[in-house]
Amino acid sequence: MTAVAEIMDYDEVLARFDPVLGLEVHVELSTKTKMFCGCANAFGAEPNTQVCPVCLGLPGALPAVNGKAVEAAIRIGLALNCQVAEWCRFARKNYFYPDMPKNFQTSQYDEPIVFDGHLDVVLDDGETFRVDIERAHMEEDTGKSLHMGGATGRIHGADYSLLDYNRAGVPLIEIVTKPITGAGERAPEVARAYVTALRDLLRALNVSDVRMDQGSLRCDANVSLMPKGAEEFGTRTETKNVNSLRSVERAVRFEMQRHAAVLTSGGSILQETRHFDESTGSTSAGRPKETSEDYRYFPEPDLVPIAPSREWVEELSKTLPELPWERRRRAKEEWGLSDEELRDLVNAGALELIAETVEAGAAPGDARSWWVAYLSQQANTHGVELADLEITPKQVARVAALVGEGKLTNKLARQVVDGVLDGEGEPDEVVAARGLEVVSDDSELQKAVDEALAAQPDIAEKIRGGKVQAAGAVVGSVMKATKGQADAKRVRELVLKACGQ
């Protein structure tokens, strides 16, 4: 097992150094097909079943650009306040990866499709911090290596490796920030808040499912330190493919502490990639980090340049939805939230989900109750972010509707939600498969009430004598007999009526 590196106390780091961040976020687009071929773009298929000569890099295969991916890239750029290039082109980025079958990546180098933007992010206390965007460019994803037989899932110690090329060629947008300075002690928080805001924005644009647990949103966190008073940036490290919001914050904080310990002990920082260990909150060395010259970029000869017309860009700008921060302002006014309540919902990752649930037909109170209470508990139990639960706002709204229609009790509704989370289908399918619908037939309920009263004659006599609070025991028996599927309020009415009350 690799030993955890020496780290410095965080307060001491801040006393000696100023952090500089650079965040590179890779977004897999949810187009139907891949970036340069017609293969299906879908997660979870059997290995190597979504491939063709183009995405396998076979000789003579020619790529063609996915128009929907270009459209998504422009819409992302517009939402990030970027300029849209009037002319741009693809380039070949050359390096050796065993899971890149062509042995080069088709990307964009010095001519990205959008550039020079910004995103204002809200920190935990409500303060706004502006993150400047350098560029967002189009490229393709690599395949996936599976290292078998080892203890860690990495190549070191593995007996052999398997390659799945389904992901090769999946459309990617890489969003790169300018150096983030001035964050000070809040640098880790700024990193988390930025990726959170970006994820919310991309979800609102409906260009990606932004599932960090499935790799459709991945963050590379670059960190360096400058001694107090210095003017030049320090040497950076790049922690690759961090796959949760909490981990982004932890990885940045750890690297700040590790850099400081190395620098104050007289050592130097190696420009390299790092891997983040979720279990320890630490990073470990990957490979030396190349410079752009090492990639030997040159224009992709098989693809024509892209020149979005200003008319098309203007049309796409009109398709932008209500953006998350605009929705927050409206929600605060319409739902009567205080600043603290709004901030709590945002920090919990619940506000956008609640808003989408309301848009799907649920009452604001019901939507808020489900996401803040039961579903937050389930997210904690499963160890995932709230937005990464296997349930959609539309499905939550349907469960709320079933409760409102009297077809489910709150207790039964939670079982339906559990079924959806477990992959058993849509809410109505779970209700049918599990037999969970409320028993609303008075004849069936009356039969269950009569049986419960007959089994508890002493309690029945108390109710007849005016002690109506004793009805609770009979109601409990009926609920047990009906496996919780009876309407408790209606059962009580029938019990009291049967006892002459």
Side-chain angles (χ1 to χ4, degrees):
M1 183 175 180
T2 304
V4 176
E6 293 283 337
I7 61 173
M8 179 182 286
D9 178 78
Y10 192 66
D11 289 337
E12 188 175 353
V13 175
L14 298 170
R16 291 169 173 261
F17 299 96
D18 290 319
V20 179
L21 307 182
L23 301 172
E24 303 170 14
V25 175
H26 296 80
V27 185
E28 284 187 352
L29 299 179
S30 52
T31 53
K32 292 182 179 179
T33 56
K34 291 185 180 181
M35 188 72 207
F36 301 114
C37 67
C39 289
N41 173 24
F43 180 82
E46 288 295 312
N48 297 310
T49 58
Q50 297 175 170
V51 294
C52 72
V54 173
C55 55
L56 287 176
L58 299 183
L62 291 175
V65 176
N66 185 326
K68 287 294 184 181
V70 176
E71 180 180 302
I74 295 173
R75 293 178 73 240
I76 290 171
L78 292 170
L80 290 173
N81 306 290
C82 290
Q83 297 184 50
V84 178
E86 296 187 4
W87 189 94
C88 65
R89 58 182 173 178
F90 287 95
R92 291 188 180 184
K93 181 180 181 182
N94 297 274
Y95 54 83
F96 173 74
Y97 268 149
D99 47 13
M100 177 58 79
K102 297 181 295 188
N103 211 26
F104 65 85
Q105 181 187 37
T106 304
S107 181
Q108 291 186 306
Y109 174 44
D110 55 347
E111 298 167 306
I113 188 164
V114 299
F115 56 93
D116 195 18
H118 66 266
L119 180 61
D120 291 327
V121 301
V122 180
L123 305 183
D124 292 345
D125 63 357
E127 180 183 339
T128 298
F129 190 97
R130 173 162 291 188
V131 176
D132 290 320
I133 307 296
E134 175 73 34
R135 57 192 277 146
H137 61 263
M138 299 178 289
E139 59 186 23
E140 60 184 334
D141 214 341
T142 65
K144 185 175 182 180
S145 297
L146 303 172
H147 306 298
M148 315 302 292
T152 65
R154 299 193 180 280
I155 193 168
H156 301 292
D159 296 328
Y160 60 94
S161 297
L162 300 174
L163 295 174
D164 178 9
Y165 288 126
N166 281 349
R167 198 175 68 183
V170 165
L172 275 184
I173 301 296
E174 182 176 352
I175 303 167
V176 183
T177 69
K178 294 180 180 179
I180 302 171
T181 60
E185 65 178 342
R186 308 190 74 172
E189 180 189 349
V190 166
R192 171 177 54 81
Y194 167 74
V195 179
T196 302
L198 193 56
R199 186 184 68 168
D200 291 344
L201 173 62
L202 294 165
R203 183 187 289 115
L205 291 172
N206 197 30
V207 294
S208 171
D209 63 14
V210 290
R211 289 287 302 272
M212 296 188 80
D213 60 317
Q214 294 181 358
S216 54
L217 182 71
R218 310 190 291 272
C219 177
D220 296 344
N222 293 269
V223 175
S224 67
L225 295 181
M226 292 192 301
K228 291 288 185 179
E231 296 183 357
E232 293 186 5
F233 294 161
T235 302
R236 65 185 173 90
T237 58
E238 181 181 10
T239 304
K240 299 287 289 184
N241 296 329
V242 187
N243 62 4
S244 79
L245 300 175
R246 178 169 176 262
S247 295
V248 170
E249 183 171 10
R250 293 171 74 201
V252 168
R253 186 184 182 98
F254 180 86
E255 277 297 278
M256 287 172 60
Q257 293 178 278
R258 186 185 69 82
H259 280 217
V262 171
L263 293 171
T264 55
S265 65
S268 58
I269 300 298
L270 175 65
Q271 184 168 306
E272 63 182 353
T273 63
R274 308 278 297 180
H275 300 296
F276 181 70
D277 188 325
E278 297 277 354
S279 62
T280 64
S282 63
T283 66
S284 58
R287 58 181 171 81
K289 179 63 179 174
E290 299 89 346
T291 63
S292 59
E293 290 78 9
D294 294 318
Y295 292 126
R296 304 185 309 283
Y297 284 100
F298 66 87
E300 167 57 69
D302 292 334
L303 291 170
V304 298
I306 296 171
S309 70
R310 297 303 92 181
E311 292 77 16
W312 186 36
V313 172
E314 181 61 29
E315 288 175 9
L316 291 177
S317 71
K318 296 176 182 177
T319 70
L320 297 183
E322 182 181 37
L323 298 178
W325 37 91
E326 297 167 348
R327 177 179 286 177
R328 287 168 191 164
R329 283 196 295 270
R330 181 169 59 82
K332 180 183 176 183
E333 295 172 1
E334 293 181 356
W335 304 347
L337 299 175
S338 67
D339 290 338
E340 292 75 17
E341 288 172 326
L342 178 66
R343 188 160 62 244
D344 287 345
L345 292 179
V346 171
N347 292 342
L351 185 66
E352 304 303 325
L353 297 168
I354 294 169
E356 290 175 24
T357 305
V358 171
E359 289 173 1
D366 291 339
R368 185 175 173 185
S369 176
W370 273 110
W371 286 107
V372 173
Y374 191 69
L375 287 167
S376 288
Q377 295 172 7
Q378 295 304 302
N380 289 334
T381 299
H382 289 80
V384 299
E385 302 289 343
L386 190 60
D388 291 335
L389 283 173
E390 295 284 353
I391 191 167
T392 66
K394 184 177 179 180
Q395 291 169 328
V396 174
R398 178 55 184 159
V399 172
L402 290 171
V403 174
E405 294 166 6
K407 296 180 179 179
L408 292 176
T409 63
N410 287 328
K411 184 176 181 180
L412 292 173
R414 286 192 288 272
Q415 294 182 50
V416 174
V417 169
D418 290 342
V420 175
L421 292 173
D422 290 339
E424 297 175 20
E426 294 296 315
D428 291 279
E429 295 171 337
V430 175
V431 169
R434 293 194 178 192
L436 295 177
E437 189 166 343
V438 165
V439 177
S440 56
D441 186 336
D442 269 8
S443 62
E444 289 187 44
L445 292 179
Q446 188 65 60
K447 180 180 177 182
V449 166
D450 292 341
E451 291 175 354
L453 288 170
Q456 303 173 81
D458 293 344
I459 294 176
E461 193 60 35
K462 289 180 181 179
I463 300 171
R464 293 187 184 100
K467 295 184 178 180
V468 294
Q469 65 269 26
V474 181
V475 173
S477 297
V478 173
M479 296 303 292
K480 184 176 181 181
T482 59
K483 298 180 181 179
Q485 292 176 241
D487 181 338
K489 181 179 178 181
R490 181 57 182 157
V491 171
R492 179 179 172 80
E493 292 172 352
L494 293 175
V495 170
L496 295 178
K497 182 179 179 181
C499 293
Q501 298 297 320

